[in-house]
Amino acid sequence: MLAFATILSMIKVVDLPYGGSITAFSMLPIILIAYRYGVAWGSFTALAFSLLQLLMGMNNLSYGTSVWAVVMILLFDYVIAFTVLGLGGVFRGKLGSQGAELAAGTVLACALRYICHVISGCTVWAGLSIPDTQALLYSLAYNATYMVPETLVTVIGAVYLCRALDFRSESITRAAPQAKKPDPAILLSGLGKAALAIAAVFDIQHIAVRLQNPETGDFDITGITQANWGLVAAVTVIGIALFVLFSWLASRVPADNDTDLKGFFRSLPFIGVVAAAAFDVAFIVLTFREGAPDAEGWTQIVLVTLCVLAAAGFLVFRNRAKRQAR
């Protein structure tokens, strides 16, 4: 699991210029160890993981301007920051649901890691990659740009993995199949998750755009002050409120509700592909209106079009397979 976590940490979806990245579930194997074997073994495993991360990021120590700065980088960017992942299993047996326990443990561990990076940012990195003035604010904002998505990715991975495997028994087994919920409950639950996802995407996009210098295109942390934090907070609160509301409504649907929404559910993938195709066409039209696209523009057009075609092809293949199975 240590090897698995280390390899996943090298698969960086987003790699920020001054440290920090969004990876492919790299923290999840460590949190699973903590959940399955307890805080002691989890912390020991997480400590080993922190040392591996330190070895791979050893060049960052060269930015330390003093022995104290090097020690701070060692502790708060690596050793403590990753060892806290060992607390990912602290909620085992306390919430009644494996998924909820792992999700809560993940959020706690990621929050503690975030605090460690913030401490390092507003002390060691102030004046280097973060402005001296308002260093705490910039450190909070910069580290949130990768830790928030990283936390969401890890929570989603943990929850969906729990639907397939049970980590609480002596031997890891398949998770017991969940009782099928009524269609209205599935719809309401989906709406809640969609509201939360839309709010997260809006916040990330709103902030990320302002972290790019409009003249040079380079990463610029000072642009964070131009973000409308009131709007970000409002969208976040609304997204969470809608998620809680729809989840509550879903839990209120009677188990014997026989409303059939299967036709609607089956149409959703087709609606998604049509919407994606419309976006692709609009994107191409807008790109050509600005003039002949350059190499980067053509790359984006090709990638977006290939994604739409792949989604459409998968949908056709899946429906054909279902018909043959019948």
PDB file of all heavy atoms in Angstrom, residues 97 159-160 163 177-190 193 243 246-262 265:
ATOM      1  N   SER A  97     -21.411   3.485   9.692  1.00  0.00           N
ATOM      2  CA  SER A  97     -21.288   3.233   8.259  1.00  0.00           C
ATOM      3  C   SER A  97     -19.821   3.328   7.870  1.00  0.00           C
ATOM      4  O   SER A  97     -19.143   4.305   8.205  1.00  0.00           O
ATOM      5  CB  SER A  97     -22.118   4.247   7.460  1.00  0.00           C
ATOM      6  OG  SER A  97     -21.765   4.250   6.094  1.00  0.00           O
ATOM      7  N   VAL A 159     -15.471   6.644  -0.495  1.00  0.00           N
ATOM      8  CA  VAL A 159     -16.883   6.280  -0.420  1.00  0.00           C
ATOM      9  C   VAL A 159     -17.240   5.225  -1.467  1.00  0.00           C
ATOM     10  O   VAL A 159     -17.917   4.231  -1.168  1.00  0.00           O
ATOM     11  CB  VAL A 159     -17.764   7.534  -0.597  1.00  0.00           C
ATOM     12  CG1 VAL A 159     -19.237   7.141  -0.761  1.00  0.00           C
ATOM     13  CG2 VAL A 159     -17.610   8.465   0.607  1.00  0.00           C
ATOM     14  N   TYR A 160     -16.769   5.412  -2.679  1.00  0.00           N
ATOM     15  CA  TYR A 160     -17.125   4.455  -3.733  1.00  0.00           C
ATOM     16  C   TYR A 160     -16.394   3.127  -3.565  1.00  0.00           C
ATOM     17  O   TYR A 160     -16.926   2.069  -3.922  1.00  0.00           O
ATOM     18  CB  TYR A 160     -16.840   5.065  -5.110  1.00  0.00           C
ATOM     19  CG  TYR A 160     -17.962   5.961  -5.573  1.00  0.00           C
ATOM     20  CD1 TYR A 160     -17.954   7.315  -5.279  1.00  0.00           C
ATOM     21  CD2 TYR A 160     -19.057   5.447  -6.255  1.00  0.00           C
ATOM     22  CE1 TYR A 160     -18.987   8.148  -5.665  1.00  0.00           C
ATOM     23  CE2 TYR A 160     -20.104   6.267  -6.648  1.00  0.00           C
ATOM     24  CZ  TYR A 160     -20.072   7.615  -6.357  1.00  0.00           C
ATOM     25  OH  TYR A 160     -21.106   8.423  -6.733  1.00  0.00           O
ATOM     26  N   ARG A 163     -18.269   0.868  -1.241  1.00  0.00           N
ATOM     27  CA  ARG A 163     -19.442   0.194  -1.795  1.00  0.00           C
ATOM     28  C   ARG A 163     -19.080  -1.166  -2.392  1.00  0.00           C
ATOM     29  O   ARG A 163     -19.964  -1.999  -2.589  1.00  0.00           O
ATOM     30  CB  ARG A 163     -20.086   1.079  -2.861  1.00  0.00           C
ATOM     31  CG  ARG A 163     -20.672   2.364  -2.303  1.00  0.00           C
ATOM     32  CD  ARG A 163     -21.423   3.117  -3.369  1.00  0.00           C
ATOM     33  NE  ARG A 163     -22.066   4.306  -2.823  1.00  0.00           N
ATOM     34  CZ  ARG A 163     -22.851   5.117  -3.522  1.00  0.00           C
ATOM     35  NH1 ARG A 163     -23.105   4.845  -4.796  1.00  0.00           N
ATOM     36  NH2 ARG A 163     -23.398   6.186  -2.961  1.00  0.00           N
ATOM     37  N   PRO A 177     -24.355  -6.124  -0.653  1.00  0.00           N
ATOM     38  CA  PRO A 177     -25.122  -5.250  -1.554  1.00  0.00           C
ATOM     39  C   PRO A 177     -26.141  -4.430  -0.787  1.00  0.00           C
ATOM     40  O   PRO A 177     -26.824  -4.936   0.103  1.00  0.00           O
ATOM     41  CB  PRO A 177     -25.811  -6.246  -2.506  1.00  0.00           C
ATOM     42  CG  PRO A 177     -25.798  -7.553  -1.780  1.00  0.00           C
ATOM     43  CD  PRO A 177     -24.578  -7.556  -0.926  1.00  0.00           C
ATOM     44  N   GLN A 178     -26.206  -3.151  -1.116  1.00  0.00           N
ATOM     45  CA  GLN A 178     -27.140  -2.260  -0.441  1.00  0.00           C
ATOM     46  C   GLN A 178     -28.549  -2.454  -0.983  1.00  0.00           C
ATOM     47  O   GLN A 178     -28.743  -2.763  -2.162  1.00  0.00           O
ATOM     48  CB  GLN A 178     -26.704  -0.806  -0.618  1.00  0.00           C
ATOM     49  CG  GLN A 178     -25.333  -0.506  -0.024  1.00  0.00           C
ATOM     50  CD  GLN A 178     -24.930   0.935  -0.228  1.00  0.00           C
ATOM     51  OE1 GLN A 178     -25.563   1.686  -0.965  1.00  0.00           O
ATOM     52  NE2 GLN A 178     -23.861   1.355   0.425  1.00  0.00           N
ATOM     53  N   ALA A 179     -29.498  -2.291  -0.085  1.00  0.00           N
ATOM     54  CA  ALA A 179     -30.896  -2.385  -0.512  1.00  0.00           C
ATOM     55  C   ALA A 179     -31.197  -1.279  -1.518  1.00  0.00           C
ATOM     56  O   ALA A 179     -30.798  -0.130  -1.322  1.00  0.00           O
ATOM     57  CB  ALA A 179     -31.813  -2.264   0.702  1.00  0.00           C
ATOM     58  N   LYS A 180     -31.868  -1.649  -2.599  1.00  0.00           N
ATOM     59  CA  LYS A 180     -32.164  -0.672  -3.637  1.00  0.00           C
ATOM     60  C   LYS A 180     -33.136   0.382  -3.114  1.00  0.00           C
ATOM     61  O   LYS A 180     -34.173   0.060  -2.550  1.00  0.00           O
ATOM     62  CB  LYS A 180     -32.766  -1.355  -4.861  1.00  0.00           C
ATOM     63  CG  LYS A 180     -32.910  -0.416  -6.052  1.00  0.00           C
ATOM     64  CD  LYS A 180     -33.495  -1.133  -7.232  1.00  0.00           C
ATOM     65  CE  LYS A 180     -33.593  -0.203  -8.435  1.00  0.00           C
ATOM     66  NZ  LYS A 180     -34.331   1.030  -8.153  1.00  0.00           N
ATOM     67  N   LYS A 181     -32.774   1.624  -3.307  1.00  0.00           N
ATOM     68  CA  LYS A 181     -33.619   2.718  -2.858  1.00  0.00           C
ATOM     69  C   LYS A 181     -34.709   2.995  -3.889  1.00  0.00           C
ATOM     70  O   LYS A 181     -34.533   2.712  -5.085  1.00  0.00           O
ATOM     71  CB  LYS A 181     -32.783   3.973  -2.632  1.00  0.00           C
ATOM     72  CG  LYS A 181     -31.734   3.824  -1.540  1.00  0.00           C
ATOM     73  CD  LYS A 181     -30.933   5.110  -1.394  1.00  0.00           C
ATOM     74  CE  LYS A 181     -29.876   4.977  -0.313  1.00  0.00           C
ATOM     75  NZ  LYS A 181     -29.063   6.213  -0.176  1.00  0.00           N
ATOM     76  N   PRO A 182     -35.832   3.550  -3.473  1.00  0.00           N
ATOM     77  CA  PRO A 182     -36.869   3.932  -4.434  1.00  0.00           C
ATOM     78  C   PRO A 182     -36.321   4.963  -5.422  1.00  0.00           C
ATOM     79  O   PRO A 182     -35.429   5.753  -5.083  1.00  0.00           O
ATOM     80  CB  PRO A 182     -37.963   4.537  -3.544  1.00  0.00           C
ATOM     81  CG  PRO A 182     -37.712   3.977  -2.178  1.00  0.00           C
ATOM     82  CD  PRO A 182     -36.236   3.797  -2.073  1.00  0.00           C
ATOM     83  N   ASP A 183     -36.861   4.963  -6.625  1.00  0.00           N
ATOM     84  CA  ASP A 183     -36.374   5.875  -7.663  1.00  0.00           C
ATOM     85  C   ASP A 183     -36.415   7.347  -7.242  1.00  0.00           C
ATOM     86  O   ASP A 183     -35.466   8.089  -7.518  1.00  0.00           O
ATOM     87  CB  ASP A 183     -37.188   5.672  -8.948  1.00  0.00           C
ATOM     88  CG  ASP A 183     -36.808   4.363  -9.638  1.00  0.00           C
ATOM     89  OD1 ASP A 183     -35.874   3.695  -9.159  1.00  0.00           O
ATOM     90  OD2 ASP A 183     -37.450   4.019 -10.657  1.00  0.00           O
ATOM     91  N   PRO A 184     -37.491   7.836  -6.579  1.00  0.00           N
ATOM     92  CA  PRO A 184     -37.481   9.246  -6.154  1.00  0.00           C
ATOM     93  C   PRO A 184     -36.339   9.563  -5.182  1.00  0.00           C
ATOM     94  O   PRO A 184     -35.761  10.653  -5.238  1.00  0.00           O
ATOM     95  CB  PRO A 184     -38.847   9.420  -5.475  1.00  0.00           C
ATOM     96  CG  PRO A 184     -39.713   8.376  -6.100  1.00  0.00           C
ATOM     97  CD  PRO A 184     -38.806   7.213  -6.320  1.00  0.00           C
ATOM     98  N   ALA A 185     -36.000   8.614  -4.308  1.00  0.00           N
ATOM     99  CA  ALA A 185     -34.893   8.824  -3.371  1.00  0.00           C
ATOM    100  C   ALA A 185     -33.567   8.924  -4.122  1.00  0.00           C
ATOM    101  O   ALA A 185     -32.709   9.762  -3.790  1.00  0.00           O
ATOM    102  CB  ALA A 185     -34.841   7.695  -2.355  1.00  0.00           C
ATOM    103  N   ILE A 186     -33.396   8.079  -5.155  1.00  0.00           N
ATOM    104  CA  ILE A 186     -32.174   8.132  -5.964  1.00  0.00           C
ATOM    105  C   ILE A 186     -32.071   9.471  -6.680  1.00  0.00           C
ATOM    106  O   ILE A 186     -31.004  10.088  -6.750  1.00  0.00           O
ATOM    107  CB  ILE A 186     -32.169   6.971  -6.976  1.00  0.00           C
ATOM    108  CG1 ILE A 186     -32.101   5.627  -6.240  1.00  0.00           C
ATOM    109  CG2 ILE A 186     -30.995   7.098  -7.937  1.00  0.00           C
ATOM    110  CD1 ILE A 186     -32.221   4.425  -7.148  1.00  0.00           C
ATOM    111  N   LEU A 187     -33.208   9.947  -7.214  1.00  0.00           N
ATOM    112  CA  LEU A 187     -33.230  11.224  -7.928  1.00  0.00           C
ATOM    113  C   LEU A 187     -32.877  12.375  -6.992  1.00  0.00           C
ATOM    114  O   LEU A 187     -32.041  13.228  -7.318  1.00  0.00           O
ATOM    115  CB  LEU A 187     -34.610  11.447  -8.548  1.00  0.00           C
ATOM    116  CG  LEU A 187     -34.820  12.800  -9.241  1.00  0.00           C
ATOM    117  CD1 LEU A 187     -33.845  12.965 -10.403  1.00  0.00           C
ATOM    118  CD2 LEU A 187     -36.260  12.940  -9.724  1.00  0.00           C
ATOM    119  N   LEU A 188     -33.491  12.412  -5.812  1.00  0.00           N
ATOM    120  CA  LEU A 188     -33.232  13.493  -4.862  1.00  0.00           C
ATOM    121  C   LEU A 188     -31.786  13.464  -4.374  1.00  0.00           C
ATOM    122  O   LEU A 188     -31.138  14.515  -4.252  1.00  0.00           O
ATOM    123  CB  LEU A 188     -34.187  13.373  -3.672  1.00  0.00           C
ATOM    124  CG  LEU A 188     -35.661  13.677  -3.977  1.00  0.00           C
ATOM    125  CD1 LEU A 188     -36.547  13.268  -2.807  1.00  0.00           C
ATOM    126  CD2 LEU A 188     -35.844  15.168  -4.292  1.00  0.00           C
ATOM    127  N   SER A 189     -31.272  12.270  -4.114  1.00  0.00           N
ATOM    128  CA  SER A 189     -29.882  12.148  -3.693  1.00  0.00           C
ATOM    129  C   SER A 189     -28.931  12.642  -4.787  1.00  0.00           C
ATOM    130  O   SER A 189     -27.949  13.330  -4.510  1.00  0.00           O
ATOM    131  CB  SER A 189     -29.574  10.698  -3.332  1.00  0.00           C
ATOM    132  OG  SER A 189     -28.237  10.545  -2.969  1.00  0.00           O
ATOM    133  N   GLY A 190     -29.247  12.297  -6.027  1.00  0.00           N
ATOM    134  CA  GLY A 190     -28.431  12.755  -7.151  1.00  0.00           C
ATOM    135  C   GLY A 190     -28.451  14.260  -7.310  1.00  0.00           C
ATOM    136  O   GLY A 190     -27.429  14.885  -7.616  1.00  0.00           O
ATOM    137  N   LYS A 193     -26.110  15.767  -4.693  1.00  0.00           N
ATOM    138  CA  LYS A 193     -24.703  15.617  -5.065  1.00  0.00           C
ATOM    139  C   LYS A 193     -24.349  16.559  -6.220  1.00  0.00           C
ATOM    140  O   LYS A 193     -23.246  17.127  -6.259  1.00  0.00           O
ATOM    141  CB  LYS A 193     -24.414  14.176  -5.453  1.00  0.00           C
ATOM    142  CG  LYS A 193     -24.545  13.195  -4.288  1.00  0.00           C
ATOM    143  CD  LYS A 193     -24.398  11.766  -4.752  1.00  0.00           C
ATOM    144  CE  LYS A 193     -24.595  10.781  -3.599  1.00  0.00           C
ATOM    145  NZ  LYS A 193     -24.555   9.366  -4.048  1.00  0.00           N
ATOM    146  N   PHE A 243     -27.510  20.313  -0.787  1.00  0.00           N
ATOM    147  CA  PHE A 243     -27.115  18.918  -0.578  1.00  0.00           C
ATOM    148  C   PHE A 243     -27.789  18.341   0.660  1.00  0.00           C
ATOM    149  O   PHE A 243     -28.339  17.234   0.630  1.00  0.00           O
ATOM    150  CB  PHE A 243     -25.595  18.822  -0.444  1.00  0.00           C
ATOM    151  CG  PHE A 243     -25.105  17.458  -0.056  1.00  0.00           C
ATOM    152  CD1 PHE A 243     -25.082  16.422  -0.982  1.00  0.00           C
ATOM    153  CD2 PHE A 243     -24.671  17.195   1.237  1.00  0.00           C
ATOM    154  CE1 PHE A 243     -24.639  15.147  -0.626  1.00  0.00           C
ATOM    155  CE2 PHE A 243     -24.234  15.932   1.604  1.00  0.00           C
ATOM    156  CZ  PHE A 243     -24.221  14.910   0.668  1.00  0.00           C
ATOM    157  N   PHE A 246     -31.728  18.056  -0.069  1.00  0.00           N
ATOM    158  CA  PHE A 246     -32.100  16.938  -0.938  1.00  0.00           C
ATOM    159  C   PHE A 246     -31.802  15.595  -0.274  1.00  0.00           C
ATOM    160  O   PHE A 246     -32.544  14.625  -0.459  1.00  0.00           O
ATOM    161  CB  PHE A 246     -31.371  17.044  -2.282  1.00  0.00           C
ATOM    162  CG  PHE A 246     -31.968  18.064  -3.213  1.00  0.00           C
ATOM    163  CD1 PHE A 246     -31.216  19.136  -3.672  1.00  0.00           C
ATOM    164  CD2 PHE A 246     -33.283  17.956  -3.629  1.00  0.00           C
ATOM    165  CE1 PHE A 246     -31.765  20.074  -4.533  1.00  0.00           C
ATOM    166  CE2 PHE A 246     -33.846  18.891  -4.494  1.00  0.00           C
ATOM    167  CZ  PHE A 246     -33.074  19.963  -4.946  1.00  0.00           C
ATOM    168  N   SER A 247     -30.721  15.526   0.500  1.00  0.00           N
ATOM    169  CA  SER A 247     -30.408  14.282   1.213  1.00  0.00           C
ATOM    170  C   SER A 247     -31.482  13.980   2.249  1.00  0.00           C
ATOM    171  O   SER A 247     -31.889  12.823   2.426  1.00  0.00           O
ATOM    172  CB  SER A 247     -29.038  14.396   1.889  1.00  0.00           C
ATOM    173  OG  SER A 247     -28.019  14.577   0.935  1.00  0.00           O
ATOM    174  N   TRP A 248     -31.944  15.028   2.927  1.00  0.00           N
ATOM    175  CA  TRP A 248     -33.011  14.837   3.922  1.00  0.00           C
ATOM    176  C   TRP A 248     -34.303  14.396   3.252  1.00  0.00           C
ATOM    177  O   TRP A 248     -34.990  13.487   3.725  1.00  0.00           O
ATOM    178  CB  TRP A 248     -33.235  16.130   4.694  1.00  0.00           C
ATOM    179  CG  TRP A 248     -34.342  16.040   5.700  1.00  0.00           C
ATOM    180  CD1 TRP A 248     -34.305  15.449   6.928  1.00  0.00           C
ATOM    181  CD2 TRP A 248     -35.667  16.552   5.548  1.00  0.00           C
ATOM    182  NE1 TRP A 248     -35.514  15.558   7.560  1.00  0.00           N
ATOM    183  CE2 TRP A 248     -36.383  16.233   6.732  1.00  0.00           C
ATOM    184  CE3 TRP A 248     -36.326  17.251   4.544  1.00  0.00           C
ATOM    185  CZ2 TRP A 248     -37.715  16.589   6.919  1.00  0.00           C
ATOM    186  CZ3 TRP A 248     -37.651  17.606   4.731  1.00  0.00           C
ATOM    187  CH2 TRP A 248     -38.336  17.271   5.910  1.00  0.00           C
ATOM    188  N   LEU A 249     -34.636  15.043   2.119  1.00  0.00           N
ATOM    189  CA  LEU A 249     -35.847  14.655   1.393  1.00  0.00           C
ATOM    190  C   LEU A 249     -35.747  13.219   0.893  1.00  0.00           C
ATOM    191  O   LEU A 249     -36.737  12.484   0.913  1.00  0.00           O
ATOM    192  CB  LEU A 249     -36.067  15.613   0.211  1.00  0.00           C
ATOM    193  CG  LEU A 249     -36.468  17.055   0.566  1.00  0.00           C
ATOM    194  CD1 LEU A 249     -36.500  17.913  -0.690  1.00  0.00           C
ATOM    195  CD2 LEU A 249     -37.820  17.085   1.266  1.00  0.00           C
ATOM    196  N   ALA A 250     -34.535  12.823   0.444  1.00  0.00           N
ATOM    197  CA  ALA A 250     -34.353  11.447  -0.027  1.00  0.00           C
ATOM    198  C   ALA A 250     -34.564  10.448   1.102  1.00  0.00           C
ATOM    199  O   ALA A 250     -35.144   9.372   0.892  1.00  0.00           O
ATOM    200  CB  ALA A 250     -32.952  11.287  -0.618  1.00  0.00           C
ATOM    201  N   SER A 251     -34.118  10.811   2.296  1.00  0.00           N
ATOM    202  CA  SER A 251     -34.287   9.901   3.439  1.00  0.00           C
ATOM    203  C   SER A 251     -35.744   9.801   3.881  1.00  0.00           C
ATOM    204  O   SER A 251     -36.121   8.848   4.567  1.00  0.00           O
ATOM    205  CB  SER A 251     -33.436  10.383   4.614  1.00  0.00           C
ATOM    206  OG  SER A 251     -33.916  11.620   5.122  1.00  0.00           O
ATOM    207  N   ARG A 252     -36.569  10.762   3.475  1.00  0.00           N
ATOM    208  CA  ARG A 252     -37.984  10.766   3.860  1.00  0.00           C
ATOM    209  C   ARG A 252     -38.864   9.987   2.886  1.00  0.00           C
ATOM    210  O   ARG A 252     -40.047   9.781   3.156  1.00  0.00           O
ATOM    211  CB  ARG A 252     -38.493  12.217   3.936  1.00  0.00           C
ATOM    212  CG  ARG A 252     -37.739  13.097   4.915  1.00  0.00           C
ATOM    213  CD  ARG A 252     -38.064  12.761   6.349  1.00  0.00           C
ATOM    214  NE  ARG A 252     -39.457  13.056   6.659  1.00  0.00           N
ATOM    215  CZ  ARG A 252     -40.037  12.804   7.822  1.00  0.00           C
ATOM    216  NH1 ARG A 252     -39.332  12.223   8.776  1.00  0.00           N
ATOM    217  NH2 ARG A 252     -41.296  13.106   8.034  1.00  0.00           N
ATOM    218  N   VAL A 253     -38.291   9.560   1.754  1.00  0.00           N
ATOM    219  CA  VAL A 253     -39.085   8.796   0.780  1.00  0.00           C
ATOM    220  C   VAL A 253     -39.356   7.406   1.361  1.00  0.00           C
ATOM    221  O   VAL A 253     -38.419   6.708   1.765  1.00  0.00           O
ATOM    222  CB  VAL A 253     -38.333   8.674  -0.557  1.00  0.00           C
ATOM    223  CG1 VAL A 253     -39.116   7.782  -1.527  1.00  0.00           C
ATOM    224  CG2 VAL A 253     -38.094  10.043  -1.168  1.00  0.00           C
ATOM    225  N   PRO A 254     -40.612   6.972   1.415  1.00  0.00           N
ATOM    226  CA  PRO A 254     -40.933   5.644   1.969  1.00  0.00           C
ATOM    227  C   PRO A 254     -40.247   4.530   1.195  1.00  0.00           C
ATOM    228  O   PRO A 254     -40.110   4.606  -0.033  1.00  0.00           O
ATOM    229  CB  PRO A 254     -42.463   5.565   1.822  1.00  0.00           C
ATOM    230  CG  PRO A 254     -42.925   6.991   1.727  1.00  0.00           C
ATOM    231  CD  PRO A 254     -41.821   7.728   1.023  1.00  0.00           C
ATOM    232  N   ALA A 255     -39.821   3.512   1.903  1.00  0.00           N
ATOM    233  CA  ALA A 255     -39.107   2.392   1.270  1.00  0.00           C
ATOM    234  C   ALA A 255     -39.988   1.641   0.276  1.00  0.00           C
ATOM    235  O   ALA A 255     -39.484   1.008  -0.652  1.00  0.00           O
ATOM    236  CB  ALA A 255     -38.587   1.434   2.339  1.00  0.00           C
ATOM    237  N   ASP A 256     -41.322   1.707   0.451  1.00  0.00           N
ATOM    238  CA  ASP A 256     -42.231   0.985  -0.446  1.00  0.00           C
ATOM    239  C   ASP A 256     -42.760   1.863  -1.579  1.00  0.00           C
ATOM    240  O   ASP A 256     -43.704   1.480  -2.274  1.00  0.00           O
ATOM    241  CB  ASP A 256     -43.404   0.411   0.353  1.00  0.00           C
ATOM    242  CG  ASP A 256     -44.171   1.504   1.110  1.00  0.00           C
ATOM    243  OD1 ASP A 256     -43.703   2.666   1.126  1.00  0.00           O
ATOM    244  OD2 ASP A 256     -45.235   1.190   1.693  1.00  0.00           O
ATOM    245  N   ASN A 257     -42.148   3.042  -1.777  1.00  0.00           N
ATOM    246  CA  ASN A 257     -42.557   3.915  -2.878  1.00  0.00           C
ATOM    247  C   ASN A 257     -42.240   3.230  -4.200  1.00  0.00           C
ATOM    248  O   ASN A 257     -41.104   2.824  -4.456  1.00  0.00           O
ATOM    249  CB  ASN A 257     -41.808   5.256  -2.781  1.00  0.00           C
ATOM    250  CG  ASN A 257     -42.310   6.265  -3.800  1.00  0.00           C
ATOM    251  OD1 ASN A 257     -42.245   6.038  -4.994  1.00  0.00           O
ATOM    252  ND2 ASN A 257     -42.804   7.389  -3.316  1.00  0.00           N
ATOM    253  N   ASP A 258     -43.262   3.063  -5.068  1.00  0.00           N
ATOM    254  CA  ASP A 258     -43.082   2.318  -6.313  1.00  0.00           C
ATOM    255  C   ASP A 258     -43.091   3.213  -7.547  1.00  0.00           C
ATOM    256  O   ASP A 258     -43.317   2.736  -8.664  1.00  0.00           O
ATOM    257  CB  ASP A 258     -44.161   1.245  -6.438  1.00  0.00           C
ATOM    258  CG  ASP A 258     -45.567   1.846  -6.403  1.00  0.00           C
ATOM    259  OD1 ASP A 258     -45.688   3.076  -6.191  1.00  0.00           O
ATOM    260  OD2 ASP A 258     -46.537   1.088  -6.590  1.00  0.00           O
ATOM    261  N   THR A 259     -42.840   4.508  -7.379  1.00  0.00           N
ATOM    262  CA  THR A 259     -42.762   5.417  -8.530  1.00  0.00           C
ATOM    263  C   THR A 259     -41.630   4.979  -9.454  1.00  0.00           C
ATOM    264  O   THR A 259     -40.486   4.803  -9.015  1.00  0.00           O
ATOM    265  CB  THR A 259     -42.522   6.859  -8.067  1.00  0.00           C
ATOM    266  OG1 THR A 259     -43.556   7.246  -7.156  1.00  0.00           O
ATOM    267  CG2 THR A 259     -42.507   7.810  -9.251  1.00  0.00           C
ATOM    268  N   ASP A 260     -41.941   4.800 -10.726  1.00  0.00           N
ATOM    269  CA  ASP A 260     -40.957   4.293 -11.694  1.00  0.00           C
ATOM    270  C   ASP A 260     -40.349   5.459 -12.485  1.00  0.00           C
ATOM    271  O   ASP A 260     -41.038   6.137 -13.242  1.00  0.00           O
ATOM    272  CB  ASP A 260     -41.623   3.300 -12.647  1.00  0.00           C
ATOM    273  CG  ASP A 260     -40.614   2.579 -13.525  1.00  0.00           C
ATOM    274  OD1 ASP A 260     -39.412   2.914 -13.424  1.00  0.00           O
ATOM    275  OD2 ASP A 260     -41.010   1.685 -14.301  1.00  0.00           O
ATOM    276  N   LEU A 261     -39.048   5.689 -12.295  1.00  0.00           N
ATOM    277  CA  LEU A 261     -38.331   6.745 -13.028  1.00  0.00           C
ATOM    278  C   LEU A 261     -37.219   6.165 -13.893  1.00  0.00           C
ATOM    279  O   LEU A 261     -36.310   6.898 -14.291  1.00  0.00           O
ATOM    280  CB  LEU A 261     -37.738   7.752 -12.033  1.00  0.00           C
ATOM    281  CG  LEU A 261     -38.735   8.521 -11.148  1.00  0.00           C
ATOM    282  CD1 LEU A 261     -37.984   9.397 -10.165  1.00  0.00           C
ATOM    283  CD2 LEU A 261     -39.675   9.354 -12.003  1.00  0.00           C
ATOM    284  N   LYS A 262     -37.313   4.875 -14.186  1.00  0.00           N
ATOM    285  CA  LYS A 262     -36.230   4.229 -14.931  1.00  0.00           C
ATOM    286  C   LYS A 262     -36.075   4.824 -16.328  1.00  0.00           C
ATOM    287  O   LYS A 262     -34.953   4.950 -16.837  1.00  0.00           O
ATOM    288  CB  LYS A 262     -36.494   2.722 -15.031  1.00  0.00           C
ATOM    289  CG  LYS A 262     -36.357   1.997 -13.694  1.00  0.00           C
ATOM    290  CD  LYS A 262     -36.576   0.506 -13.854  1.00  0.00           C
ATOM    291  CE  LYS A 262     -36.367  -0.239 -12.537  1.00  0.00           C
ATOM    292  NZ  LYS A 262     -37.270   0.242 -11.467  1.00  0.00           N
ATOM    293  N   PHE A 265     -34.093   7.959 -15.918  1.00  0.00           N
ATOM    294  CA  PHE A 265     -32.690   7.661 -15.624  1.00  0.00           C
ATOM    295  C   PHE A 265     -31.957   7.200 -16.881  1.00  0.00           C
ATOM    296  O   PHE A 265     -30.793   7.565 -17.100  1.00  0.00           O
ATOM    297  CB  PHE A 265     -32.588   6.597 -14.528  1.00  0.00           C
ATOM    298  CG  PHE A 265     -33.032   7.073 -13.170  1.00  0.00           C
ATOM    299  CD1 PHE A 265     -33.591   6.186 -12.264  1.00  0.00           C
ATOM    300  CD2 PHE A 265     -32.910   8.399 -12.809  1.00  0.00           C
ATOM    301  CE1 PHE A 265     -33.991   6.614 -11.009  1.00  0.00           C
ATOM    302  CE2 PHE A 265     -33.315   8.848 -11.560  1.00  0.00           C
ATOM    303  CZ  PHE A 265     -33.862   7.947 -10.648  1.00  0.00           C
TER     304      PHE A 265
END
